Structures are given as structure tokens and as C-alpha cells.
């Protein structure tokens, strides 16, 4: 089957090439019977009917031109016409919008280079719940086949829902009374080579959707419209990984002899092999004797190669019911539903003690490699085969009811909505470990994924991983509900517009109110772990492990691993996770905790009340027409956070002993924290029509972006400062949240020059500047709180998110353009292009809060890419549509686990070809990520690589029926 599907891939690629080659011939045929499309202007295009990619580009240009604010959009009046796999992929074709990649798809979006938490997302004008740990919306949950428009507002106006500094991303579904009646079915198969390389798989998957739109006019009860759409997806998302532990440590030690792994503890200490590297002046005298001093480098505590077999199913539904009982009154009920199940079978080879006994070979000095990067070294470590099944189930559901009434001069509208996201992630894992530490040499001088020489230790032999002395965690069976997160958002709003005059300066008066309740409940770390096999049936733990090593062996699951990298690690011994789990425990799962409450759990309610007043205006200034609006929005936010804390027993350091914190069993209690803030958010926009083709826009506003809702947690996770000599000092490393966090507060200036040559051609240049304060992303500062320690309520300074007191600035510009070369002769008249470039620069500085913080540069604003660009080239003619879309974003910060981390810049190229057999049937062909771009993350330096994920090109092929 593997060879068969490889041939299928070859056929698909050949078909795509044939389509490109055939395009000129097809165009030449039609040129004999049809004249080339004339160049259009604003007066002669009214009767021209266009469809497909050109229609989408034309609709998008028209929306941009007629908007009261600076906006970019991709709009099509026909549901199912956006040629992307998800809304995230569609949005990446909007200038200034870039995405973080997740399982090969665009996921969290950044606008104008700012991070995903600085944008605000709505669906049909409503805020969207999310199952992620912050407020970032997972756009991949919205299938593009069921969305007919994506809009990115880059300036503010008073009637926008507050919450976005970078911009407002709005998704739109159709209003069925305003759409064409249509029945559509689409089926696309998908082939992925990396999935084909997994034994028992054929690389094939599919996605299918069915949508129907209809309307019934002039019935006794008025006009009715209905639109429903359903999509099902069943495919893999295969990736290969190389990762390190998130914790890096600064070191300047060089082990005297890293090969000494036997003998007494004193002998190994004298060789420098029995402890982790570190700063030499902080070692004991005996440890210093086992090392010499080296230049500073950064080591990680583990390194892992991970092969993953995946299966993902997703169901999506969208529906709208519209009722217009009269010309003045209109009701719309719409709903969305998405359910996703994602299973990962992880097979890992891990160097579990990667900082032990290091003898550096190549340390970056700022030349070829970044300073402090540990490129090559010798060391010794236990080596493990780790198995894990990770199941993530996620459900999103939303519904809303809106009403509009249009009087002669007064227009009223109301909307009530609810959305809910729920994510549950379950992990089941086991391991096998080498019986002794293994001497190895690691070398990343040729590629970001290193080669590893394990000497005489054979990583492909299962017997190499048989531990004879079984102890805690040498052979574990872990069953964990790692995440159970529910996010609920209910909102109601009422708006009114009163027309003042068609000719006076003030044209309308707009006012409205909105109220919302946002609730986040998260249960983390519900663990049922067995750290040593359970002795039973007359067998000891060691005998159980020996038997399991024989009975649970598997062949390596894939015929290929990390094919885009030069590593020598291509396969290793593999064991069946379920088999090991049953051997270690005698059951298929472990019971979870009866009471899983803990300080990491979150229960936050955020209540927002808002009111706004806005007026629109228009007139002429020295014979130059202008329009615009100005207004103010008042927002009040209240936070109610519930969390858990236990009493602790604290023992300070005495005479150099290590200080400790011990949680007192049975003392867990709920505590409450509150916070509130309010803001006045003024905004103004003015647009000058310099002539019938040129528009000049200006915008000024104040906007906010709220901190991550889980940052409000008030539980305390006690972490000792082992060197502290006072109770307060020992507690000072403990972590908590901060319900008094304020949102980022930004004053914004924007200007845009836009030129519209005709309905198919537009160019724009925009500049913007922002003054931002109160940044809290991953900033941690002392936070005064209390806990009962040694029987007494003790006030101390914990570590918690904090607002940055320094005002920061961000400056940028963007260039956008699109055109169709309809004035060119022959086949060239079907050629069209669009693209854009965004540059953003900011002076944010976030120190790394980890141990390497004093030695590395500060990080910038999360998600900020200084450069990002997109470009699309398409050709249409004789029923054929060809498109190539490319996006690039430069490196950006993506922190995790209380350390700074960055993602290297990369580019993605997608290709598509559609052919209309007739007006009802269309054939489709797509190739996504044809460059096989790898995602590479690093910390604490550019060559200190912490994660490399390697996906593959996805090939889609299918057919669409439309009636």
C-alpha cells in the first residue's frame, strides 16, 4: 500500500503540472470564441459578471473601499467558496495577518505582527469562547467551507466590542435571505506521505461537507431564509519531533572524564560524571575537583526524539434561520458547533539526564553559532523508551439571536448570544529504561536535529532497555487527566442609530450597551500515577518488568523518521503502551483522584459592562469630500477569582541545610480574590476622497487588550527557596496569579493611503504607531499575599504576573496591493495577483525569569514578527483556476513554562487548482506546505534549539457539486 500511495502522490503532482501546462492551451481555445476582457473602470464594469477567485478579490476590494475604518477582508457571497482548509489559512492571506502553526494548520492569529492575545475575535459580531489556556481563538475549528467572509479591522470605532489593540478579526456566515439559493456537496481526499510511512496506515484521509441555502419569499408570515452546513473531517496530522526540556541551566563546568559511570560515588564525583553541570563557583569542593572551567554554555536537562502516529476527526456545523415578517423587521438565529477528537500515539527515545557529566566540544561564541549554545558535547545519562497515548477531545458550541428594526430615521438592533468551549486531555504513558547510564556524544554542528553516538549501546535492541534494579520511575504507568477546561461566554447587546441629516455635518447618532459574563473553570493535574510496577501473582516488580520487556515488543512504527534532517536517529526499540500498562498495573487505566482540587485549578468569572455613543459625519473641505465618525466607549470590568491553598510547614535553611516546604494534608481550602477596572475608550476616523480613485484615511483611538484569564488564579503553588533562612524567604519562590491585573492600554494613531484603479485593482500604504502600557505577558514580579505557614497566617511576596509600569511604543507600516491583468491579451487576461508586507518594531523587554535570565537578552512582545508578508498569484480561464499562495513571517517570541522561547522565521507555500467541468461540477486539487517547512523553536539563543517539528506536504483532491 505504501508504494501504491506513493504512486498516487506522483499522479497528483503530475496532474497539477498538467493543469499548469494545459492552462495556456485552454485559454487559446477560448480566445477564438471570446474577446479578452476590457480594462475596467468605475463606469463600465457594472454589467460584467465575474466568479471564482476574481469575484472574491473584487468583493474584498469593494468592502475595503466602502468601510469607515482601515480594514482588509476576504469575502465571497457564496458559502463554500473560500479555497482554504480552515479560516486560519484564509486569514493568512490578509496583509499583516500571520499564524502560529499547529499540526500543519494555521491556528492562533497575529495582526500587524502583534501576538494573538492582542487581537480580538468575533463571529457575526459576537465574542468567541476558547478552550486554550488564554484568550486566543483556535481558528482551525471553523471550516472555511462554511464561512463566507473574514474581516480584519485595523482601526477602532466606538461600536466595536472592546478587547483588541492589534485589531478585530471578524468571521461572517451568510444571511440566507441575502444569499442565492444553493445546494452544495464537496468531497476531498487527502494524502500525507509521513502518515503513509507508518505501518498499517496508507496516508489517506478525507473531508466532506454539505450545505444548503434556500429562501421562501412573500409567504403569509413574511420572508424566510435557511442556511445549513455540515462538515466531517477524518485525517491524520503526522509530525516528527526533536525536543528538549523547557528548563535550560547556565554552566561553565567541563567534566574531567565523562566516561566514568561505574565505581564508587566518590570516584564518579572525582571524574565529574555523577552530577549536572553548573556554575563552577557554586559547586561543592568535591564537585569542583571533578571539573575544569569552560566558557559559559546553556544545557538542558533532557533531549527527546519523538515519532507520532495521529488520528483526528472533526465535525462542524453552522446554521442560520432568518425571518423577515415585514420590510422593517428582521430576525436571525444562527448557531455553530464543532467537535474534535485528536489522538496521538507517541513513541519517544529520551536522554533523560542531558545535563549530567558534560564535556563540551563546541560552544557557540557569537560567530558561527549563537553565544552559549551547546552545539556538541560528551555526557552520560540513562536512556529511556517512553510511550504515551494522548487524547484531546474538544467541543465548541455557540448560538445567537439578533433582531433589527428599521424605521424612517431610527434603526434598532439587539443581540443575545452564548458560546461554550470544553477541552479534556487524557494521557496514558509507560517507559522502559537502560539498566545503567550510557556514555554518548551529541553533535548538532550540521543540523538543528543532532546526531548522537551511543557507543556500544544499541538503541534498536529492546533488551538494552531492561532494568534489573527496579525503583521509582524506572518503570512507571501514568494515567492523567491533564486538562479539563470549560470556557463559557454569554452576552447581550442593544444598539440604536438615528439618522440626523443627509446633507448636514452630523449624519447619524449611534448609541448602544453591552453586558457579558465570561466564566473559565479549569481542572489541571488530575493524576493517577503508579511509579513502580505493582507486585502481584507471586511476581516481583523486577520479574514483571523482565516479562513485559519480552512480551510487549513492537517493530518501530514507521519506515521513515525525520527525513528532512541529517540526524542518525532513525529508529529505536519500541514497546506497546497498552501492553506495558497492563503488565505494570494489572489494569487498562489507573483510577483518577477522587478529589482533584489543587492550587493550579482555576475558577474565574469576568463581568464586562459597556456603553458607547458615536456620531458619523460628512462634508467637504476645500472641495474634497470627507466622511468619518467619532465617539467614546466606556467599559467596566470586574473579576471574581476562586482558588485553593493548603497550609504548609516551612523549615528555613540552617547552617547551609536545604530549606523545605511541606503541604499539610487535609487543609485545602477555597479562597477568593477580586479585581476591577474601568476605561474610557475614545476613537475617531476620518476619510477623504481625494478623487474618484484615491482615499486618504486617518484614525485615532484608545484600546485595551485584557490579560489571559487564567492569570487571575489565586491559588498558591508552594515552591521553596532552598537557601533562604526565614519563613518568608523560603516561600518567596511560590507562584500565584493576580486578579488585579490591568489590561494592556494603548493609544493608537493610523493613516492609510488607498488607490483604487478599478474594481479589480487596489493599492494601499498604511502607517501606525502605538503607545502601550500595562503589558503583563509572562512578566513576573513580587506579589504580596498570605498563606498559613507553621500554623500562623504569614504575609510574604510570591511570584505572580504583573503589569509593566513602563510605556512601550510600537511602530509599523504595511503595503497592500491586488490586481487582475484583464487588459492584457489572450491568456494573460486571466492573471491576477495580490500581496502585502507588514513591518512592525517595538521596544518591549521581558527578562527571562528562568535560571539563564542574567545571561541572555530580553524577549520582545509575544508573537511580534518584525517582518511578515503574503503573496498570491492566480489564473482563471476556460473553467480552470490556478493559485499559488505564499506567506512568510520572521522570528517571534513564544514563551512557555516560565521561560522565554522564540520561533525561527519560516515561509509556507500552498498551491491549488480547480477545474469546472460544467456549471455544477468542479474538480479540486491542492498541495499545502509544498516546501516542507520545519517549525524550529529555540532558547536561550538562536542555536540553542529546543524543538524541531517536521511535518509534510498535504495533497488534497476532490470534487464539488453545486446546484
Amino acid at each position: 500500500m505504501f508504494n501504491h500511495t506513493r504512486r498516487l502522490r506522483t499522479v497528483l503532482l503530475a496532474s497539477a503540472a498538467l493543469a499548469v501546462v494545459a492552462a495556456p492551451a485552454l485559454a487559446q481555445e477560448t480566445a477564438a470564441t471570446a474577446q479578452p476582457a476590457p480594462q475596467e473602470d468605475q463606469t463600465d464594469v457594472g454589467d460584467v459578471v465575474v466568479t471564482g477567485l476574481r469575484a472574491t478579490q473584487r468583493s474584498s476590494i469593494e468592502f475595503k473601499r466602502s468601510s469607515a475604518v482601515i480594514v482588509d477582508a476576504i469575502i465571497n457571497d457564496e458559502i463554500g467558496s473560500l479555497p482554504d482548509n480552515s479560516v486560519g489559512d484564509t486569514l493568512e492571506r490578509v496583509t499583516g495577518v500571520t499564524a502560529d502553526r499547529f499540526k500543519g494548520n494555521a491556528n492562533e492569529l497575529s495582526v500587524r505582527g502583534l501576538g494573538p492575545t492582542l487581537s480580538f475575535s468575533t463571529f457575526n459580531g459576537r465574542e468567541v469562547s476558547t478552550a486554550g489556556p488564554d484568550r486566543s481563538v483556535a481558528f482551525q475549528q471553523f471550516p472555511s467551507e462554511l464561512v463566507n467572509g473574514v474581516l480584519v479591522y485595523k482601526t477602532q470605532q466606538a461600536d466595536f466590542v472592546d478587547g483588541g489593540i492589534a485589531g478585530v478579526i471578524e468571521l461572517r456566515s451568510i444571511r440566507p435571505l441575502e444569499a442565492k439559493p444553493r445546494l452544495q456537496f464537496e468531497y476531498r481526499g487527502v494524502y500525507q506521505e509521513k502518515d503513509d510511512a507508518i505501518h498499517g496506515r496508507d496516508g489517506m484521509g478525507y473531508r466532506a461537507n454539505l450545505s444548503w441555502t434556500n429562501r421562501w419569499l412573500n409567504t403569509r408570515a413574511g420572508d424566510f431564509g435557511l442556511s445549513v452546513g455540515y462538515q466531517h473531517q477524518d485525517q491524520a496530522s503526522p509530525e516528527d519531533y526533536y525536543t528538549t526540556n523547557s528548563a535550560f541551566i547556565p554552566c561553565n563546568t567541563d567534566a574531567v572524564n565523562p566516561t566514568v559511570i561505574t565505581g564508587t560515588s566518590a570516584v564518579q564525583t572525582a571524574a565529574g560524571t555523577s552530577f549536572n553541570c553548573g556554575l563552577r563557583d557554586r559547586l561543592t569542593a568535591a564537585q569542583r575537583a571533578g571539573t575544569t572551567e569552560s566558557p559559559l554554555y546553556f544545557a538542558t536537562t533532557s533531549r527527546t526524539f519523538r515519532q507520532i502516529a495521529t488520528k483526528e476527526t472533526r465535525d462542524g456545523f453552522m446554521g442560520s434561520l432568518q425571518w423577515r415578517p415585514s420590510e422593517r423587521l428582521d430576525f436571525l438565529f444562527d448557531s455553530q458547533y464543532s467537535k474534535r477528537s485528536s489522538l496521538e500515539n507517541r513513541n519517544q527515545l529520551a536522554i533523560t539526564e542531558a545535563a549530567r557529566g558534560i564535556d563540551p566540544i563546541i560552544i557557540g561564541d557569537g560567530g558561527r553559532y549563537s553565544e552559549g549554545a551547546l552545539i556538541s558535547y560528551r555526557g552520560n545519562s540513562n536512556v529511556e523508551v517512553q510511550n504515551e497515548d494522548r487524547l484531546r477531545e474538544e467541543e465548541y458550541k455557540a448560538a445567537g439571536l439578533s433582531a433589527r428594526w428599521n424605521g424612517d430615521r431610527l434603526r434598532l438592533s439587539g443581540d443575545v448570544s452564548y458560546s461554550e468551549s470544553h477541552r479534556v486531555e487524557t494521557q496514558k504513558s509507560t517507559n522502559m529504561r537502560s539498566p545503567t547510564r550510557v556514555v554518548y556524544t551529541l553533535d548538532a554542528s550540521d543540523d538543528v536535529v543532532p546526531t548522537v553516538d551511543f557507543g556500544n549501546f544499541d538503541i534498536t535492541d529492546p533488551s538494552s532497555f531492561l532494568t534489573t534494579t527496579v525503583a521509582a520511575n524506572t518503570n512507571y504507568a501514568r494515567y492523567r487527566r491533564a486538562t479539563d477546561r470549560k470556557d463559557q461566554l454569554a452576552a447581550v447587546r442593544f444598539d440604536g442609530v438615528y439618522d440626523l441629516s443627509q446633507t448636514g455635518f452630523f449624519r447619524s447618532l449611534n448609541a448602544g450597551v453591552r453586558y457579558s459574563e465570561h466564566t473559565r473553570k479549569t481542572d489541571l493535574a488530575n493524576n493517577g500515577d503508579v511509579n513502580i510496577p505493582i507486585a502481584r501473582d507471586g511476581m516481583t516488580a523486577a520479574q514483571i518488568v523482565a516479562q513485559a520487556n519480552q512480551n510487549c515488543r513492537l517493530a518501530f512504527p514507521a519506515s521513515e523518521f525525520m527525513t528532512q534532517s541529517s540526524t542518525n536517529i532513525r529508529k529505536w526499540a519500541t514497546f506497546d503502551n497498552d501492553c506495558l500498562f497492563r503488565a505494570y498495573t494489572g489494569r487498562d487505566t489507573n483510577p483518577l483522584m477522587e478529589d482533584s482540587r489543587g492550587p493550579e485549578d482555576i475558577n474565574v468569572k469576568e463581568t464586562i459592562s459597556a456603553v458607547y455613543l458615536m456620531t458619523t459625519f460628512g462634508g467637504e473641505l476645500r472641495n474634497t469630500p470627507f466622511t468619518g465618525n467619532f465617539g467614546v466607549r466606556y467599559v467596566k470590568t470586574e473579576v471574581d477569582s476562586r482558588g485553593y491553598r493548603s497550609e504548609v510547614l516551612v523549615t528555613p535553611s540552617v547552617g547551609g541545610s536545604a530549606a523545605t516546604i511541606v503541604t499539610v494534608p487535609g487543609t485545602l481550602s477555597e479562597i477568593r480574590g477580586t479585581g476591577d477596572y474601568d476605561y474610557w475608550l475614545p476613537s475617531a476616523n476620518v476619510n477623504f476622497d481625494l478623487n474618484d480613485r484615491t482615499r486618504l484615511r486617518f484614525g485615532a483611538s484608545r484600546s485595551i487588550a485584557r490579560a489571559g484569564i487564567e492569570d487571575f488564579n489565586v491559588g498558591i503553588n508552594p515552591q521553596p527557596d532552598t537557601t533562604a533562612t526565614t519563613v518568608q524567604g523560603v516561600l518567596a519562590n511560590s507562584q500565584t496569579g493576580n486578579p488585579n491585573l490591568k489590561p494592556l492600554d494603548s493609544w493608537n494613531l493610523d493613516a492609510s493611503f488607498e488607490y483604487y484603479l478599478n474594481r479589480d485593482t487596489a493599492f494601499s500604504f498604511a502607517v501606525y504607531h502605538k503607545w502601550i502600557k500595562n503589558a503583563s505577558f509572562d512578566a513576573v514580579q513580587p506579589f504580596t499575599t498570605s498563606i498559613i505557614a507553621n500554623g500562623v497566617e504569614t504575609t510574604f511576596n510570591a511570584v505572580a504576573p504583573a503589569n509593566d509600569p513602563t510605556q512601550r511604543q510600537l511602530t509599523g507600516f504595511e503595503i497592500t496591493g491586488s490586481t487582475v491583468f484583464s487588459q492584457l491579451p489572450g491568456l494573460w487576461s486571466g492573471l491576477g495577483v495580490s500581496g502585502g508586507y507588514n513591518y512592525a518594531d517595538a521596544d518591549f523587554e521581558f527578562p527571562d525569569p528562568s535560571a539563564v535570565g542574567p545571561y541572555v537578552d530580553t524577549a520582545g512582545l509575544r508573537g511580534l514578527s518584525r517582518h511578515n508578508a503574503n503573496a498570491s498569484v492566480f489564473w482563471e480561464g476556460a473553467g480552470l483556476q490556478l493559485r499559488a499562495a505564499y506567506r512568510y513571517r520572521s522570528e517571534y517570541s513564544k514563551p512557555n513554562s516560565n521561560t522565554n522561547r522564540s520561533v525561527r522565521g519560516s515561509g509556507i507555500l500552498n498551491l491549488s487548482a480547480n477545474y469546472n467541468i460544467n456549471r455544477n461540477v468542479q474538480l479540486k486539487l491542492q498541495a499545502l506546505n509544498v516546501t516542507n517547512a520545519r517549525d524550529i523553536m529555540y532558547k536561550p539563543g538562536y542555536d540553542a534549539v529546543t524543538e524541531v517539528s517536521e511535518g509534510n506536504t498535504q495533497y488534497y483532491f476532490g470534487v464539488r457539486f453545486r446546484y
Side-chain angles (χ1 to χ4, degrees):
M1 188 64 180
F2 181 55
N3 291 331
H4 169 72
T5 46
R6 278 189 180 275
R7 289 194 294 271
L8 175 60
R9 181 193 62 172
T10 303
V11 170
L12 291 173
L13 290 175
S15 300
L18 179 62
V20 174
V21 173
L26 290 169
Q28 295 288 359
E29 284 184 28
T30 58
T33 58
Q35 296 296 319
Q39 182 176 351
E40 301 173 17
D41 58 28
Q42 295 302 308
T43 61
D44 65 6
V45 295
D47 297 329
V48 177
V49 177
V50 297
T51 59
L53 300 175
R54 183 175 176 183
T56 299
Q57 185 158 298
R58 177 176 289 186
S59 300
S60 304
I61 290 174
E62 178 58 31
F63 185 88
K64 178 182 179 73
R65 179 170 188 168
S66 61
S67 176
V69 297
I70 299 174
V71 63
D72 282 296
I74 297 177
I75 295 176
N76 197 299
D77 294 332
E78 300 175 348
I79 191 169
S81 293
L82 297 176
D84 301 290
N85 281 343
S86 73
V87 170
D89 293 319
T90 301
L91 279 161
E92 279 203 293
R93 294 192 283 120
V94 175
T95 299
V97 177
T98 53
D100 191 60
R101 311 297 295 183
F102 180 71
K103 294 186 179 299
N105 296 304
N107 194 32
E108 297 179 348
L109 275 297
S110 298
V111 177
R112 286 183 161 177
L114 281 76
T117 53
L118 293 186
S119 301
F120 188 77
S121 302
T122 63
F123 192 98
N124 289 338
R126 304 175 185 128
E127 187 176 358
V128 179
S129 63
T130 176
D134 51 29
R135 300 177 190 267
S136 304
V137 173
F139 284 96
Q140 61 175 351
Q141 70 187 346
F142 298 106
S144 64
E145 295 93 335
L146 305 183
V147 175
N148 79 315
V150 294
L151 297 76
V152 181
Y153 295 101
K154 299 177 179 178
T155 55
Q156 301 284 330
Q157 64 184 35
D159 61 345
F160 286 175
V161 179
D162 48 276
I165 286 177
V168 177
I169 299 173
E170 182 177 348
L171 311 184
R172 287 186 177 180
S173 60
I174 65 172
R175 298 178 67 90
L177 283 177
E178 300 160 14
K180 300 175 183 178
R182 175 146 288 160
L183 175 65
Q184 175 176 294
F185 171 74
E186 180 178 309
Y187 177 91
R188 281 185 292 164
V190 58
Y191 172 75
Q192 300 181 88
E193 183 177 327
K194 195 171 288 291
D195 184 56
D196 195 0
I198 297 173
H199 300 314
R201 308 283 283 269
D202 59 10
M204 302 298 296
Y206 74 93
R207 55 192 296 157
N209 69 81
L210 175 67
S211 61
W212 178 55
T213 301
N214 205 354
R215 55 192 181 189
W216 298 267
L217 306 179
N218 301 317
T219 72
R220 291 184 178 181
D223 299 336
F224 290 90
L226 177 67
S227 174
V228 291
Y230 168 75
Q231 186 209 59
H232 178 74
Q233 173 182 316
D234 186 345
Q235 68 178 78
S237 301
E239 289 181 291
D240 295 332
Y241 280 87
Y242 163 71
T243 68
T244 73
N245 187 281
S246 60
F248 275 71
I249 55 177
C251 299
N252 63 355
T253 55
D254 186 343
V256 171
N257 187 354
T259 65
V260 177
I261 56 174
T262 59
T264 65
S265 174
V267 168
Q268 294 184 53
T269 299
T273 61
S274 62
F275 52 90
N276 286 343
C277 66
L279 298 177
R280 200 161 180 271
D281 59 358
R282 299 182 186 180
L283 301 182
T284 65
Q287 290 174 335
R288 280 198 298 272
T291 65
T292 58
E293 187 167 348
S294 75
L296 182 74
Y297 61 90
F298 305 117
T300 182
T301 55
S302 68
R303 298 177 183 269
T304 302
F305 296 86
R306 179 187 304 154
Q307 181 271 331
I308 306 179
T310 68
K311 180 177 177 59
E312 181 169 317
T313 59
R314 185 191 299 271
D315 292 279
F317 169 84
M318 291 185 187
S320 298
L321 174 63
Q322 190 175 3
W323 175 39
R324 187 183 295 151
S326 69
E327 291 184 358
R328 294 182 179 271
L329 188 60
D330 186 294
F331 296 93
L332 179 69
F333 173 80
D334 62 275
S335 62
Q336 305 86 44
Y337 178 82
S338 174
K339 186 172 184 179
R340 168 179 168 242
S341 177
S342 176
L343 176 64
E344 293 184 357
N345 302 121
R346 298 184 172 190
N347 172 35
Q348 302 183 155
L349 176 71
I351 301 171
T352 58
E353 301 159 292
R356 181 186 289 270
I358 288 182
D359 173 20
I361 299 173
I362 302 176
I363 298 174
D365 59 3
R368 180 181 177 187
Y369 304 108
S370 59
E371 193 165 354
L374 185 60
I375 303 301
S376 180
Y377 70 95
R378 285 181 290 270
N380 68 87
S381 170
N382 279 293
V383 182
E384 289 187 9
V385 170
Q386 301 170 343
N387 315 284
E388 181 178 351
D389 296 331
R390 180 171 295 199
L391 176 64
R392 175 181 289 183
E393 296 177 298
E394 192 165 304
E395 186 177 42
Y396 170 82
K397 50 189 176 184
L401 176 64
S402 63
R404 300 188 304 190
W405 179 82
N406 296 318
D408 293 333
R409 300 182 68 177
L410 179 64
R411 300 189 300 276
L412 301 175
S413 64
D415 185 273
V416 58
S417 63
Y418 174 83
S419 70
E420 176 183 304
S421 297
H422 187 198
R423 175 186 293 177
V424 176
E425 187 168 359
T426 306
Q427 300 170 1
K428 177 181 178 180
S429 55
T430 58
N431 73 323
M432 279 281 181
R433 180 183 290 186
S434 60
T436 62
R437 298 201 305 274
V438 176
V439 177
Y440 67 96
T441 302
L442 183 143
D443 185 1
S445 59
D446 290 333
D447 187 48
V448 290
V449 182
T451 61
V452 186
D453 181 357
F454 288 103
N456 294 325
F457 183 81
D458 185 359
I459 62 173
T460 65
D461 183 357
S463 63
S464 297
F465 297 92
L466 178 58
T467 303
T468 55
T469 304
V470 179
N473 292 316
T474 61
N475 300 86
Y476 56 71
R478 297 171 178 167
Y479 188 74
R480 300 175 173 180
R481 180 164 292 169
T483 303
D484 187 347
R485 177 182 293 112
K486 180 175 284 188
D487 194 61
Q488 298 171 300
L489 207 157
V492 59
R493 64 179 295 173
F494 182 78
D495 301 86
V497 179
Y498 184 76
D499 293 331
L500 298 173
S501 170
Q502 295 296 321
T503 58
F505 179 77
F506 293 106
R507 304 294 172 84
S508 70
L509 184 65
N510 305 41
V513 296
R514 180 179 182 270
Y515 175 83
S516 69
E517 290 185 355
H518 186 180
T519 303
R520 171 69 62 87
K521 294 182 179 180
T522 304
D523 181 9
L524 299 172
N526 188 351
N527 299 338
D529 294 349
V530 172
N531 293 325
I532 189 170
I534 301 172
R536 63 188 186 282
D537 300 331
M539 297 179 65
T540 66
Q543 290 171 329
I544 289 173
V545 169
Q547 186 180 80
N549 186 280
Q550 287 290 329
N551 296 342
C552 300
R553 296 177 180 181
L554 291 176
F556 190 74
S559 59
E560 297 178 351
F561 178 74
M562 282 284 181
T563 55
Q564 298 167 47
S565 306
S566 60
T567 181
N568 64 328
I569 306 298
R570 301 300 181 186
K571 62 180 180 178
W572 52 88
T574 309
F575 300 89
D576 182 280
N577 190 35
D578 290 334
C579 178
L580 288 183
F581 200 98
R582 285 191 296 270
Y584 291 170
T585 66
R587 52 189 179 238
D588 292 328
T589 64
N590 288 332
L592 295 173
M593 302 164 64
E594 292 185 6
D595 183 359
S596 63
R597 296 175 302 163
E600 66 283 342
D601 292 345
I602 290 122
N603 185 353
V604 176
K605 181 178 180 181
E606 181 183 67
T607 303
I608 301 173
S609 305
V611 59
Y612 75 88
L613 185 66
M614 183 179 77
T615 183
T616 62
F617 57 83
E620 289 190 359
L621 179 64
R622 295 184 178 180
N623 297 322
T624 299
F626 66 86
T627 58
N629 61 66
F630 63 85
V632 64
R633 186 179 188 91
Y634 173 76
V635 183
K636 181 173 179 61
T637 304
E638 297 176 310
V639 175
D640 185 353
S641 178
R642 311 294 176 98
Y644 299 102
R645 300 182 184 181
S646 294
E647 298 181 20
V648 293
L649 297 177
V650 179
T651 303
S653 173
V654 177
S657 63
T660 60
I661 300 177
V662 178
T663 299
V664 179
T667 61
L668 188 74
S669 61
E670 184 179 84
I671 65 164
R672 179 185 181 190
T674 59
D676 64 85
Y677 53 84
D678 60 336
Y679 282 86
W680 292 92
L681 305 176
S683 61
N685 297 277
V686 60
N687 309 306
F688 293 93
D689 290 321
L690 303 182
N691 54 49
D692 60 356
R693 293 182 173 179
T694 308
R695 171 162 283 196
L696 182 63
R697 301 180 187 269
F698 296 98
S701 64
R702 187 188 192 190
S703 55
I704 59 174
R706 294 180 174 87
I709 194 167
E710 297 196 356
D711 285 341
F712 299 144
N713 179 35
V714 292
I716 289 183
N717 184 19
Q719 297 288 335
D721 180 345
T722 58
T723 63
T725 57
T726 65
V727 171
Q728 290 84 354
V730 175
L731 290 167
N733 282 345
S734 302
Q735 298 179 0
T736 185
N738 181 0
N740 288 299
L741 275 178
K742 302 299 184 286
L744 269 78
D745 176 10
S746 177
W747 287 92
N748 317 293
L749 286 179
D750 295 82
S752 176
F753 178 83
E754 301 168 3
Y755 179 71
Y756 300 90
L757 178 62
N758 54 53
R759 291 179 64 184
D760 294 319
T761 305
F763 302 96
S764 66
F765 176 79
V767 296
Y768 52 93
H769 189 86
K770 301 177 183 293
W771 294 265
I772 305 175
K773 65 178 182 179
N774 289 343
S776 63
F777 301 105
D778 302 288
V780 288
Q781 298 290 337
F783 179 76
T784 303
T785 187
S786 65
I787 196 170
I788 297 178
N790 301 338
V792 179
E793 184 164 356
T794 303
T795 300
F796 70 102
N797 287 329
V799 177
N803 291 114
D804 183 359
T806 304
Q807 185 180 77
R808 308 291 182 176
Q809 298 190 50
L810 184 144
T811 303
F813 69 87
E814 62 185 14
I815 304 170
T816 307
S818 58
T819 189
V820 176
F821 298 99
S822 55
Q823 74 276 15
L824 297 179
L827 68 93
W828 296 106
S829 63
L831 183 65
V833 297
S834 65
Y837 167 77
N838 182 87
Y839 172 86
D841 189 32
D843 62 354
F844 287 80
E845 295 182 354
F846 293 108
D848 192 314
S850 71
V852 300
Y855 309 98
V856 298
D857 294 335
T858 57
L861 185 62
R862 177 188 174 190
L864 177 63
S865 289
R866 180 169 292 184
H867 308 278
N868 57 75
N870 64 81
S872 295
V873 180
F874 69 84
W875 184 89
E876 289 184 304
L880 181 65
Q881 301 173 2
L882 304 175
R883 182 173 72 105
Y886 179 80
R887 74 91 173 146
Y888 170 81
R889 74 178 300 184
S890 61
E891 63 182 272
Y892 58 97
S893 173
K894 187 181 179 181
N896 80 317
S897 301
N898 289 323
T899 65
N900 291 342
R901 180 182 62 175
S902 297
V903 182
R904 287 190 181 183
S906 65
I908 301 290
L909 177 64
N910 298 332
L911 304 176
S912 67
N914 301 330
Y915 179 68
N916 297 321
I917 295 178
N918 54 45
R919 62 181 299 177
N920 301 120
V921 182
Q922 182 185 72
L923 301 180
K924 291 191 167 188
L925 194 64
Q926 285 178 292
L928 307 182
N929 188 18
V930 297
T931 55
N932 280 320
R934 297 185 295 180
D935 292 325
I936 303 172
M937 303 182 187
Y938 63 90
K939 60 180 180 183
Y942 189 81
D943 294 300
V945 172
T946 186
E947 179 176 297
V948 180
S949 61
E950 185 181 292
N952 58 199
T953 304
Q954 301 177 46
Y955 301 97
Y956 288 87
F957 50 96
V959 60
R960 184 191 70 188
F961 300 94
R962 175 178 284 181
Y963 299 93

